[in-house]
């Protein structure tokens, strides 16, 4: 009753921001993402009568009480589904440190779902795994399928799951994640999403989205990189306008974020095809084609306030692996 899984983080090109139903984590809009090759979580889960209570450990980091509660809640869902009542030990490892400010909930809940269902003796299909991962963290639903992924919002839990649009080798893109200096306490994406309706720009964002989703799918079909880039920038700005006009206002960007955005615009004027997207934090994701990776990397490292850069290729989704963490 022990299993280990590895799952990638993903970067949303069309973002999930706002829920129809908070308990079921049903989103207000469909979203599209790319799995990241170098940002991932490995998780080992064992159910055993030897454990008197659930244990959760993140190697090299201290798990918060909130994180532990969220993991235990997820184990309860899996216990209910499989009909077991045994307690579990969960050990996880992130390829990127928490201090980097990168969210690990997508890779974390995808890896936990895969490992815990297997350890509990369940044999679930990709769709069921994506639904279950979604209940842990919405964006985790997209870390189950391969490559470039769409999460259909759906009207019910059964309809709200992610599937692969294209395999990882479909398009040789790069996501360079810049880890920037950040001293502010972060508002979690779960908390921030509760405030979306307070922004008068949120309804405008939802109206724009179906068109933007159609266009981004067209950019993928035709591999039109400038079109893809333009759309992901518009989309990122739209999310942050909503955050900045929520009440209370949430500003995820800081001066380094802004410096990178300005630099990206300048580099494009000089002919370098690179675009940005930003999640619920100050780190900027730089999107480029494989041929431009070196040049973008060299340039971004020179920007003051950039602590680290993690280069990602499109990756497969979560899967079981044989090396246990304990
Ligand atoms: C900005 O998946 O972290 O990264 O379902 O409440 O856990 P919960 O939210 P979460 O939200 C992700 C927000 C985002 C955009 C995205 O990944 O789509």
């Amino acid at each position: 009753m022990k299993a280990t899984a590895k799952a990638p983080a993903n970067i949303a090109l069309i973002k999930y921001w706002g829920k129809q139903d908070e308990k079921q984590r049903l989103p207000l809009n469909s979203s599209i993402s790319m799995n990241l090759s170098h940002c991932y979580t490995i998780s080992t889960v064992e159910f055993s009568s030897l454990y008197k209570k659930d244990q959760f450990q993140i190697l090299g980091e201290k798990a918060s009480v909130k994180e532990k509660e969220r993991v235990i809640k997820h184990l309860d869902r899996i216990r209910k589904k499989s009909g077991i009542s045994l307690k579990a030990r969960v050990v996880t490892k992130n390829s990127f440190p928490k201090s980097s400010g990168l969210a690990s909930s997508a890779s974390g809940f995808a890896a936990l779902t895969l490992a815990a269902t297997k350890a509990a003796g369940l044999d679930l299909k990709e769709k069921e795994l994506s639904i279950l991962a979604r209940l842990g963290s919405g964006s985790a639903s997209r870390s189950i399928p391969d490559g470039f992924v769409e999460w259909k919002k759906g009207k019910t839990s059964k309809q709200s799951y992610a599937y692969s649009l294209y395999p990882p080798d479909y398009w040789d893109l790069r996501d360079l994640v810049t880890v920037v200096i950040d001293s502010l306490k972060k508002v979690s994406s779960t908390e921030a999403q509760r405030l979306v309706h307070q922004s008068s720009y949120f309804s405008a964002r939802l109206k724009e989205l179906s068109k933007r989703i159609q266009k981004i799918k067209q950019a993928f079909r035709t591999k039109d990189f400038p079109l893809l880039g333009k759309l992901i920038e518009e989309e990122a700005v739209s999310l942050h306008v909503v955050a900045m006009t929520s009440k209370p206002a949430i500003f995820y960007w800081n001066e380094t974020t802004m410096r990178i955005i300005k630099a990206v615009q300048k580099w494009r004027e000089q002919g370098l095809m690179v675009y940005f997207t930003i999640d619920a934090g100050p780190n900027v994701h730089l999107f480029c084609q494989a041929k431009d990776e070196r040049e973008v990397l060299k340039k971004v490292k020179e920007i003051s306030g950039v602590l680290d850069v993690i280069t990602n290729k499109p990756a497969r989704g979560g899967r079981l692996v044989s090396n246990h963490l304990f």
Side-chain angles (χ1 to χ4, degrees):
M1 300 195 82
K2 185 174 187 175
T4 300
K6 176 178 169 185
N10 65 74
I11 177 65
L13 305 176
I14 297 291
K15 315 279 186 191
Y16 147 56
W17 199 245
K19 298 177 174 72
Q20 309 168 39
D21 179 318
E22 164 129 15
K23 221 171 145 212
Q24 302 262 19
R25 287 194 148 79
L26 283 180
L28 278 160
N29 63 271
S30 300
S31 51
I32 293 179
S33 60
M34 179 181 109
N35 286 331
L36 305 180
S37 59
H38 283 74
C39 298
Y40 57 85
T41 299
I42 296 173
S43 189
T44 298
V45 179
E46 182 179 41
F47 289 98
S48 163
S49 55
L50 291 174
Y51 304 130
K52 299 293 164 233
K53 56 181 181 103
D54 291 320
Q55 302 166 37
F56 174 56
Q57 192 187 354
I58 309 176
L59 296 179
E61 287 170 24
K62 199 171 153 32
S64 71
V65 175
K66 263 194 183 164
E67 283 170 325
K68 272 189 192 156
E69 283 171 1
R70 212 164 149 181
V71 165
I72 292 172
K73 222 170 157 183
H74 205 57
L75 291 171
D76 287 341
R77 288 184 188 108
I78 289 158
R79 276 189 281 255
K80 199 170 159 201
K81 219 176 166 66
S82 62
I84 62 167
S85 55
L86 295 170
K87 298 291 181 198
R89 178 172 180 209
V90 179
V91 176
T92 74
K93 196 170 109 185
N94 294 324
S95 71
F96 48 98
K98 203 177 187 177
S99 55
S100 69
L102 295 168
S104 56
S105 71
S107 52
F109 279 98
L112 178 66
T113 302
L114 281 157
T117 51
K118 180 72 183 171
L122 291 165
D123 189 17
L124 302 183
K125 302 226 157 45
E126 181 182 282
K127 176 175 157 181
E128 296 168 292
L129 288 163
S130 174
I131 291 171
L132 197 50
R134 188 200 81 228
L135 294 167
S137 178
S139 52
S141 66
R142 297 188 310 243
S143 287
I144 300 284
D146 285 342
F148 301 93
V149 172
E150 176 173 25
W151 169 18
K152 283 278 185 199
K153 65 173 176 177
K155 288 199 180 98
T156 62
S157 186
K158 277 190 179 154
Q159 294 170 346
S160 189
Y161 59 90
Y163 68 98
S164 179
L165 286 169
Y166 296 102
D169 61 0
Y170 174 72
W171 200 354
D172 208 5
L173 299 177
R174 295 290 181 271
D175 175 20
L176 277 62
V177 187
T178 60
V179 179
V180 310
I181 290 178
D182 182 24
S183 51
L184 294 175
K185 188 182 173 294
K186 189 174 166 309
V187 182
S188 79
S189 37
T190 307
E191 287 169 65
Q193 287 187 46
R194 289 192 188 119
L195 307 175
V196 290
H197 293 290
Q198 309 199 2
S199 162
S200 50
Y201 296 92
F202 186 63
S203 52
R205 164 172 165 72
L206 284 187
K207 262 192 221 138
E208 288 169 4
L209 267 175
S210 54
K211 224 187 206 153
R212 196 175 289 138
I213 291 175
Q214 275 174 21
K215 282 196 202 155
I216 213 164
K217 283 186 174 170
Q218 182 200 329
F220 269 107
R221 257 193 318 273
T222 55
K223 295 193 184 167
D224 183 339
F225 187 66
L227 177 63
L228 179 77
K230 177 178 147 297
L231 294 167
I232 69 170
E233 287 194 356
E234 279 174 19
E235 169 62 3
V237 172
S238 152
L239 182 153
H240 286 273
V241 164
V242 169
M244 288 176 200
T245 50
S246 293
K247 293 173 191 70
I250 303 165
F251 291 88
Y252 285 114
W253 300 1
N254 64 24
E255 57 279 19
T256 310
T257 315
M258 210 55 234
R259 254 199 301 277
I260 301 171
I261 292 175
K262 293 274 183 196
V264 166
Q265 289 178 328
K266 192 179 81 191
W267 299 336
R268 258 200 328 261
E269 274 167 28
Q270 295 166 347
L272 182 61
M273 281 298 146
V274 51
Y275 296 85
F276 68 83
T277 181
I278 307 167
D279 275 347
N283 297 326
V284 183
H285 292 245
L286 298 177
F287 245 72
C288 66
Q289 298 169 97
K291 66 178 178 57
D292 294 324
E293 173 193 327
R294 273 167 163 247
E295 194 173 354
V296 175
L297 183 64
K298 184 175 156 278
K299 281 185 145 60
V300 77
K301 278 184 166 171
E302 286 165 5
I303 296 179
S304 119
V306 172
L307 300 175
D308 195 10
V309 184
I310 308 169
T311 302
N312 294 283
K313 298 180 182 185
R316 294 166 79 187
R319 61 206 57 248
L320 294 164
V321 295
S322 47
N323 288 343
H324 300 312
L325 293 176
F326 66 89

